[in-house]
Amino acid sequence: MVSLTANAQEIIPLYSGVVPNAKASDIRESGAESGVLKGITKPTLAYFKPAPDKASGAAVIIVPGGGYGVVVYQGEGINIAKALAEKGVAAFVLKYRLPSDAIMVDKKIGPLQDAQQALKLVRDNATKWGIDAGKVGIMGFSAGGHLASTAATHFEKAYVDNAGNTNLRPDFQILIYPVISMSDSLAHGGSRDNLLGKSPLRPDIELFSNELQVRANTPPTYLTHAADDKLVDVDNSIVYFETLRRQKVPVEMHIYPKGDHGFIFRHPGWMEPLFAWMKQNTWLKNE
């Protein structure tokens, strides 16, 4: 993993003790050389610290995508963390467990546990890391966008040990070509199969269709997607936008006419509107 995390100040184990919901297995993590990981059993946060003169106090937990089958750790994790840290945001790349019956008792909640634990860890260590505990957001790409939006809509129930009652609600969510819904008409099939199984139960489909879980206290949201996305239909973002808007949750959306899935690798300026949104909300310093 040295090549992938060379610029991270710290690699932090997500859990200090036993990993919750884990089963003993001989599965080994792989993919370090390509930057696309699988077989993750020991989740971590890679911490990228901003320069002190630029630091805004905000932090973002970055959740790379990969259809809940792999984690695109370099392209949608490390590279993004560096860009955010450069702008003054403390960035944490989440290496999360992928849903698997081989390593989990209940694979549906495994990724959410890791996302909640990441939020808890960053808030619990906010003072140590020079972070404002009221400016901790989550950012997800593709299936990582599903996980980020799950964390942003399921925070009232703790899926991890939270004896200190740390606030598990992200202060904002940034979703990039996200999978939002598990419904038959919108779901990305691979993500749904990996998370919920080939024959998911209706209550599970509804619980993890995050457009159905939006409430007035859902965090402010930034959405971006390409209209010609052939893998994750842009209607995922549009439906989520409409639901957030009806609940009067502040939401901004940018849709590119072309770019397909993973457009960030083809649109070099895609982060500029995001940075403008973050400045307006004081998550970035105005230069």
Side-chain angles (χ1 to χ4, degrees), residues 18-29 38-43 68 96-108 110-111 113-114:
V18 176
V19 177
N21 187 30
K23 284 198 310 207
S25 80
D26 55 3
I27 287 174
R28 304 292 291 263
E29 185 177 315
K38 56 182 172 181
I40 297 157
T41 56
K42 293 184 175 135
Y68 282 127
Y96 57 98
R97 291 172 293 161
L98 295 159
S100 164
D101 293 323
I103 64 165
M104 292 170 182
V105 179
D106 180 357
K107 71 175 185 175
K108 298 186 299 295
Q113 287 176 309
D114 292 354

Side-chain angles (χ1 to χ4, degrees), residues 247-280:
Q247 289 283 357
K248 301 193 166 35
V249 174
V251 55
E252 182 166 327
M253 180 166 64
H254 292 256
I255 295 181
Y256 293 91
K258 295 197 180 314
D260 204 356
H261 199 63
F263 71 77
I264 63 165
F265 301 107
R266 294 176 287 282
H267 282 307
W270 75 271
M271 291 186 94
E272 293 311 313
L274 168 60
F275 292 146
W277 178 79
M278 293 183 77
K279 276 183 190 168
Q280 286 162 9

Side-chain angles (χ1 to χ4, degrees), residues 8-275:
Q9 273 73 15
E10 209 177 336
I11 306 296
I12 304 147
L14 216 49
Y15 303 96
S16 56
V18 176
V19 177
N21 187 30
K23 284 198 310 207
S25 80
D26 55 3
I27 287 174
R28 304 292 291 263
E29 185 177 315
S30 63
E33 57 297 324
S34 66
V36 178
L37 308 179
K38 56 182 172 181
I40 297 157
T41 56
K42 293 184 175 135
T44 60
L45 283 176
Y47 175 27
F48 289 74
K49 188 176 181 179
D53 59 323
K54 290 185 177 177
S56 65
V60 171
I61 293 158
I62 300 163
V63 189
Y68 282 127
V70 296
V71 173
V72 186
Y73 194 74
Q74 180 74 48
E76 293 175 344
I78 303 296
N79 294 349
I80 306 304
K82 289 177 182 173
L84 285 169
E86 181 63 31
K87 287 288 183 179
V89 176
F92 296 85
V93 183
L94 177 60
K95 184 172 81 174
Y96 57 98
R97 291 172 293 161
L98 295 159
S100 164
D101 293 323
I103 64 165
M104 292 170 182
V105 179
D106 180 357
K107 71 175 185 175
K108 298 186 299 295
I109 63 166
L112 177 56
Q113 287 176 309
D114 292 354
Q116 287 194 340
Q117 181 70 9
L119 286 155
K120 180 178 182 296
L121 205 56
V122 172
R123 283 226 172 87
D124 286 350
N125 290 280
T127 304
K128 180 175 100 173
W129 291 327
I131 291 164
D132 182 337
K135 292 184 174 181
V136 179
I138 195 163
M139 177 182 197
F141 297 77
S142 193
H146 183 265
L147 181 48
S149 62
T150 304
T153 51
H154 292 68
F155 54 82
E156 284 172 347
K157 177 180 177 180
Y159 288 85
V160 289
D161 177 36
N162 191 20
N165 209 25
T166 300
N167 175 17
L168 300 177
R169 175 187 179 271
D171 292 301
F172 54 95
Q173 55 176 333
I174 300 165
L175 307 177
I176 320 297
Y177 40 83
V179 177
I180 293 291
S181 187
M182 291 286 139
S183 69
D184 294 347
S185 57
L186 281 179
H188 171 245
S191 297
R192 186 170 95 162
D193 287 354
N194 286 332
L195 185 67
L196 302 182
K198 296 278 190 189
S199 304
L201 301 171
R202 177 59 48 190
D204 289 337
I205 291 172
E206 291 175 1
L207 182 65
F208 289 98
S209 289
N210 294 328
E211 78 279 12
L212 303 178
Q213 306 303 325
V214 171
R215 305 291 181 265
N217 62 351
T218 299
T221 305
Y222 181 95
L223 290 157
T224 187
H225 218 120
D228 66 346
D229 193 320
K230 291 185 273 301
L231 201 63
V232 176
D233 196 301
V234 68
D235 279 348
N236 279 269
S237 284
I238 292 169
V239 165
Y240 200 51
F241 174 89
E242 288 288 0
T243 314
L244 290 159
R245 185 178 66 84
R246 281 195 291 273
Q247 289 283 357
K248 301 193 166 35
V249 174
V251 55
E252 182 166 327
M253 180 166 64
H254 292 256
I255 295 181
Y256 293 91
K258 295 197 180 314
D260 204 356
H261 199 63
F263 71 77
I264 63 165
F265 301 107
R266 294 176 287 282
H267 282 307
W270 75 271
M271 291 186 94
E272 293 311 313
L274 168 60
F275 292 146

